[in-house]
Amino acid sequence: MRIIHVDNHQQRKYGHTRVSWAIKLYTGLVRAGHNVLAFSDRDVAAFEAPLRIRELASRKKVNRRLLQAVEAFEPDLLVFGHCDLIDNKTFAEIRRMRPQTVIAACNNDPLFVPRNAANIARRCEVADAMFVSTGVAELARFEGKRATLWHMPNPVDPAVETWDCSAHSNQSVDLLFCSKAQAYTERGKLIDYLRGRLPQDFRFATPGMFDQPTVWGRDYDRMLGDSKMGLNLNRQEGLQWYSSARIAQMAGNGLLVFTHAAARFDEFMPAESLVYFDSEESLLRRLLEFHEDDARRRHWASRARAFFHLEINNRLYAQYIVESAMNLPYSHDYVWIRN
């Protein structure tokens, strides 16, 4: 199948950023056997702009280039993500040009951010299918538009999540939480609570917080590989199956992941894989339990890592998006649609 994938492919990062759900989707589509053309709207804007300054780019020119790519490539499916430079009217024109081309939208941002919820609603007007990293139970507000609504998980890529921290006990970090976002969240209070109560010999790394520099690229990758456990704290909790992409980054690298029970990941994750908590006290208690029992930590982390790599990898994730959008029979028993 010919597919155009429109998103930020980060070509101008020159390798500095290594983790990207959009790039995982692109590589997953290729692994699933499709002929995929990447169209990176931000990079096209910079390439087309005077002096290569993206802010000077003509929005109309970027949209025209996408139409040019569609005309030349003749895609069966167009999948787009966070491509703010591409207008809805361009997707409408693609449908006029090629009514046989199915258009699918993907959104990996949280619903509690008003701008993001508005973007989903706007794209539902023009897409045939909308995939959101929140469970379908939360998507009723977007019904009644053109798009059918689907959940998409955060996948691992076997070429990206290559560490196996469950196989070792000599890491220098006991617990990792990386964050820089401050809006729409009070999770800093939970981090403060833990910092004040964990034992002094408990090595808790929090880059991006408390005036510590954030880590990116290879530094982030190396920190993941040198950590035993990870906190999957979202800016807000309680939405079905919602998580930032860090859940796959940590679980896929064999860290033992602690995540809030309100997200209900136990609906498709196996027992003894993720560790759930529902309060500050329960999180502290469970952290200490696994800190004191390293064999148990390694066992649970290895089960989560194996499950993500087997059932929530980017090839299956990409093929699920293709099959759902194109109304094709499912080729796999996807764990997130069993219930």
Side-chain angles (χ1 to χ4, degrees):
M1 186 178 298
R2 290 188 305 277
I3 300 173
I4 292 183
H5 180 221
V6 186
D7 212 310
N8 179 15
H9 286 261
Q10 302 184 4
Q11 292 163 358
R12 291 170 299 118
K13 295 288 186 179
Y14 302 109
H16 183 60
T17 301
R18 296 191 182 189
V19 290
S20 165
W21 70 271
I23 294 176
K24 285 181 178 180
L25 174 54
Y26 172 79
T27 55
L29 290 167
V30 173
R31 286 199 177 104
H34 301 290
N35 181 7
V36 189
L37 174 66
F39 186 96
S40 186
D41 64 319
R42 300 183 196 183
D43 295 306
V44 170
F47 178 75
E48 296 285 354
L51 304 178
R52 302 292 189 262
I53 300 173
R54 198 184 84 191
E55 290 71 17
L56 301 180
S58 165
R59 188 184 187 100
K60 289 183 179 179
K61 181 174 286 189
V62 177
N63 282 261
R64 286 200 304 269
R65 290 303 192 193
L66 177 57
L67 292 174
Q68 179 182 341
V70 169
E71 192 279 330
F73 196 68
E74 297 182 331
D76 303 294
L77 174 65
L78 185 148
V79 181
F80 71 91
H82 300 292
C83 50
D84 293 340
L85 295 177
I86 305 301
D87 300 321
N88 268 13
K89 62 183 181 181
T90 298
F91 293 119
E93 175 61 15
I94 290 170
R95 179 166 287 109
R96 188 199 66 78
M97 292 167 52
R98 285 188 54 81
Q100 67 272 44
T101 295
V102 173
I103 299 176
C106 298
N107 191 295
N108 204 49
D109 284 345
L111 301 185
F112 52 76
V113 177
R115 180 178 180 273
N116 185 56
N119 281 341
I120 293 174
R122 177 172 60 90
R123 295 309 201 183
C124 280
E125 296 173 357
V126 71
D128 297 302
M130 169 63 74
F131 297 85
V132 184
S133 59
T134 303
V136 291
E138 313 288 350
L139 303 181
R141 72 180 84 173
F142 305 112
E143 292 176 350
K145 302 179 186 296
R146 181 186 183 95
T148 56
L149 300 164
W150 307 85
H151 169 69
M152 66 176 187
N154 284 289
V156 301
D157 183 327
V160 175
E161 278 77 32
T162 57
W163 299 107
D164 186 0
C165 298
S166 69
H168 307 285
S169 299
N170 59 348
Q171 294 91 330
S172 64
V173 174
D174 293 315
L175 180 65
L176 175 66
F177 178 66
C178 299
S179 172
K180 67 180 181 65
Q182 302 295 327
Y184 308 104
T185 187
E186 294 185 350
R187 60 189 171 185
K189 295 180 180 179
L190 178 54
I191 300 300
D192 273 332
Y193 173 87
L194 295 176
R195 279 162 51 98
R197 290 165 176 80
L198 288 168
Q200 289 188 347
D201 64 346
F202 191 103
R203 299 161 298 181
F204 186 13
T206 57
M209 304 188 74
F210 310 106
D211 297 322
Q212 301 173 49
T214 55
V215 290
W216 300 98
R218 63 187 177 193
D219 294 328
Y220 177 60
D221 188 51
R222 290 168 180 169
M223 182 160 280
L224 283 170
D226 197 26
S227 300
K228 293 182 177 181
M229 303 183 290
L231 281 182
N232 183 46
L233 300 182
N234 300 301
R235 285 186 285 169
Q236 292 185 26
E237 305 290 359
L239 294 174
Q240 183 199 29
W241 300 353
Y242 171 71
S243 171
S244 72
R246 67 165 57 86
I247 191 171
Q249 295 159 13
M250 294 189 298
N253 279 301
L255 283 74
L256 179 61
V257 178
F258 294 75
T259 193
H260 203 286
R264 293 150 52 190
F265 285 115
D266 60 329
E267 292 177 344
F268 64 83
M269 288 294 298
E272 298 186 357
S273 54
L274 302 181
V275 184
Y276 305 105
F277 66 92
D278 57 14
S279 66
E280 295 175 337
E281 295 79 11
S282 66
L283 174 58
L284 177 63
R285 183 178 66 254
R286 304 227 71 186
L287 284 170
L288 293 175
E289 287 174 3
F290 282 94
H291 180 60
E292 294 166 1
D293 189 345
D294 197 61
R296 189 179 179 211
R297 187 268 306 177
R298 291 174 59 183
H299 171 67
W300 282 49
S302 67
R303 283 175 55 82
R305 184 182 189 276
F307 187 80
F308 263 86
H309 279 267
L310 180 65
E311 296 288 354
I312 317 179
N313 62 66
N314 62 332
R315 182 187 62 81
L316 290 177
Y317 157 82
Q319 190 60 25
Y320 156 77
I321 289 174
V322 171
E323 292 169 351
S324 299
M326 303 289 288
N327 197 27
L328 298 172
Y330 285 136
S331 60
H332 184 80
D333 182 18
Y334 302 107
V335 296
W336 56 89
I337 60 173
R338 288 177 183 173
N339 295 326

